[in-house]
Each structure stands twice: as C-alpha cells, then as structure tokens.
Amino acid sequence: MAKKSSQPKKAKKPVQQKKSTTPKRVVVTASSEAKTATKTAAKAPRTRSRKAAPEVVLPFSRKNYMLMLLGVGLIAFGFFLMSLDEFIDASEFSISLYIAPILVVGGFVEIIYAILYRPKAEVSPSNETAVQD
C-alpha cells in the first residue's frame, strides 16, 4: 500500500474560459416560402452548357471492311484452286500452278490497299466555285 501524506489536499481552482473577441453568430431560419422557392430552384434544369462528348471516329469505314472481305475471299479462292489438282505437271497448263498463286498474292495486296484506303474529303460548293474563278 501507498503511504498517506500528512499534508492536506489542495483544492483545484475552476478554469475560467477566455472571453472571445469575435461576435457570436446568429442563425436565422428561412420562412416556408423561401424553403419552397429553393426546392423548386433545385429541380430546375441547369443552364450551364455541358461540353459535347467528342465524336467517336472509327478507323475504318464500311468500304474498308468490304475491301478487306474481298481480299480474304480472293485468298480463300486461290487456296481452293490450289487444292483442285492432285498431280501437277509443269509442262502442262494448270490452274493450281499458274492462276491460284496470283489470286493469293492479289488478295494480300487487296487487304493492304483496304487498310490504307481513305475516302476523299468532300468539297463544299463554295470552295469549288472559288477554285474555278
């Protein structure tokens, strides 16, 4: 056990709050008319104009895809022609030896053209008359 001291306990002084120099804020409640006015104003559509979403531009047009499909068709048809002849004699004319490889290479060239193809920009009538003058 702890020893008890013979000295009397000191009474604590109450802490005084500092006086503030800033004025107290007064809360004012709004009337019922003002409350309904703010509610209807909150429901009103915003007048700020939003930025238009950027237009999505696809890298290929419908014509590009059609040209690619034509190239794939040429390649498939060329391989089909290569598979027709069982025995190929170079001394005789053979579709699978002479025509089919040209079709396959042409199909690959067509696909490359389809990838690089871009439609020409449309010329407005005002620019067209200025060029002719």
Side-chain angles (χ1 to χ4, degrees):
M1 288 197 163
K3 293 183 182 180
K4 292 184 178 180
S5 66
S6 59
Q7 297 177 348
K9 292 183 180 179
K10 294 181 181 178
K12 293 184 180 180
K13 293 182 180 179
V15 179
Q16 294 180 355
Q17 293 180 352
K18 294 181 181 179
K19 293 182 180 179
S20 66
T21 57
T22 59
K24 294 182 180 179
R25 295 183 181 165
V26 178
V27 178
V28 179
T29 59
S31 66
S32 62
E33 293 175 7
K35 287 181 183 177
T36 55
T38 55
K39 286 181 182 178
T40 56
K43 292 180 182 177
R46 295 182 182 180
T47 57
R48 280 189 264 159
S49 62
R50 294 184 180 180
K51 292 182 180 178
E55 186 177 327
V56 178
V57 179
L58 298 175
F60 296 127
S61 65
R62 186 171 191 261
K63 188 169 184 177
N64 291 90
Y65 289 114
M66 295 304 287
L67 290 172
M68 280 189 231
L69 188 62
L70 177 70
V72 170
L74 281 174
I75 293 170
F77 186 64
F79 278 111
F80 172 72
L81 288 179
M82 281 187 209
S83 68
L84 288 180
D85 290 338
E86 293 177 11
F87 176 74
I88 299 174
D89 188 12
S91 63
E92 297 177 14
F93 179 78
S94 173
I95 290 178
S96 62
L97 186 62
Y98 294 106
I99 305 297
I102 294 171
L103 286 177
V104 171
V105 171
F108 283 113
V109 170
E110 179 69 24
I111 289 176
I112 292 170
Y113 176 74
I115 292 171
L116 297 177
Y117 176 77
R118 288 195 180 176
K120 294 179 181 177
E122 295 180 13
V123 179
S124 63
S126 61
N127 291 344
E128 202 171 87
T129 56
V131 173
Q132 291 176 356
D133 289 336

